[in-house]
Amino acid sequence: MSTPHVVVVMGVAGTGKTTIGPLLAARLGVPYAEGDDFHPPANIAKMSAGTPLTDEDRWPWLDAIGAWANGRAGLGGVVSSSALKRAYRDRLRAVAPDVVFVHLTGDRTLIEDRMTHRQGHFMPTALLDSQFATLQPLEPDEAGVAVDVSGSPEEITARAMDALRNLERSPARPAR
Ligand SMILES: Nc1ncnc2c1ncn2[C@@H]1O[C@H](COP(=O)(O)OP(=O)(O)OP(=O)(O)O)[C@@H](O)[C@H]1O
Ligand SMILES: [Mg+2]
């Protein structure tokens, strides 16, 4: 690939961001950063107490992810962030204008099944419902690709690599 991509792997909980992100980074030969690691201590305290984060809580977190992504501009990198809302992606792009999103998309039943089998995690169905309700998919003016998450992690990673190659041939359409 010509310029190394800085990829944000996005998608609802359980869609495979933490699984696919490092594999994609390895394939691209760039570092991976886990988006959850960028939360300020106040957010971690809130989440530990089971209190949902507000958008106000999310801005400093998104700014920190954006700062990492921008630091990788021209070098390449992969970072995970659910980035469900357009406003969250706008915030990331405000700091890191060149990021490309890989939206991991999947059938709700498949994702729920994978979540159920995840070690040490329990995700109530209602939380997955709210994730799907919040999700605003990529719009035509946003640089990015949607990648289906059926199959093995290796298959998904290969699919993401193909989609990124195609993206170079047909970049995002500017907003009218
Ligand atoms: N292609 C796959 N095939 C089978 N299991 C998978 C696949 N991808 C991910 N998983 C499993 O599904 C579960 C959820 O994946 P993962 O933790 O990567 O999702 P996530 O998007 O990072 O979720 P969160 O938003 O909660 O951090 C994990 O148990 C993971 O091992
Ligand atoms: Mg994760």
Side-chain angles (χ1 to χ4, degrees):
M1 289 180 199
S2 37
T3 320
H5 286 299
V6 180
V7 174
V8 178
V9 182
M10 62 169 279
V12 300
T15 203
K17 299 178 295 293
T18 301
T19 306
I20 305 304
L23 293 175
L24 185 59
R27 283 288 298 273
L28 292 167
V30 299
Y32 171 73
E34 174 63 45
D36 290 338
D37 294 343
F38 291 87
H39 277 294
N43 285 5
I44 295 170
K46 240 182 152 169
M47 291 187 290
S48 310
T51 312
L53 296 182
T54 63
D55 281 357
E56 284 309 309
D57 296 326
R58 287 192 172 91
W59 304 134
W61 170 53
L62 291 165
D63 289 344
I65 294 175
W68 185 88
N70 197 45
R72 297 303 306 168
L75 301 167
V78 177
V79 61
S80 61
S81 175
S82 48
L84 298 183
K85 292 186 190 178
R86 168 89 197 217
Y88 302 161
R89 300 192 293 273
D90 286 343
R91 187 80 177 209
L92 288 169
R93 273 187 295 257
V95 189
D98 296 330
V99 291
V100 169
F101 290 87
V102 168
H103 181 192
L104 299 179
T105 59
D107 192 78
R108 184 178 157 149
T109 344
L110 174 71
I111 293 170
E112 195 170 349
D113 185 59
R114 285 182 184 165
M115 293 299 289
T116 312
H117 292 99
R118 177 153 68 169
Q119 292 285 314
H121 270 76
F122 174 70
M123 161 139 313
T125 303
L127 193 47
L128 203 48
D129 283 338
S130 87
Q131 292 268 303
F132 275 102
T134 306
L135 175 65
Q136 296 171 342
L138 291 168
E139 296 185 79
D141 64 312
E142 296 186 87
V145 292
V147 174
D148 182 76
V149 295
S150 55
S152 69
E154 291 70 27
E155 285 168 329
I156 299 161
T157 306
R159 207 174 284 145
M161 289 294 289
D162 284 346
L164 286 171
R165 276 189 212 101
N166 286 335
L167 182 71
E168 289 180 6
R169 291 194 280 273
S170 56
R173 295 202 300 277
R176 279 175 295 162

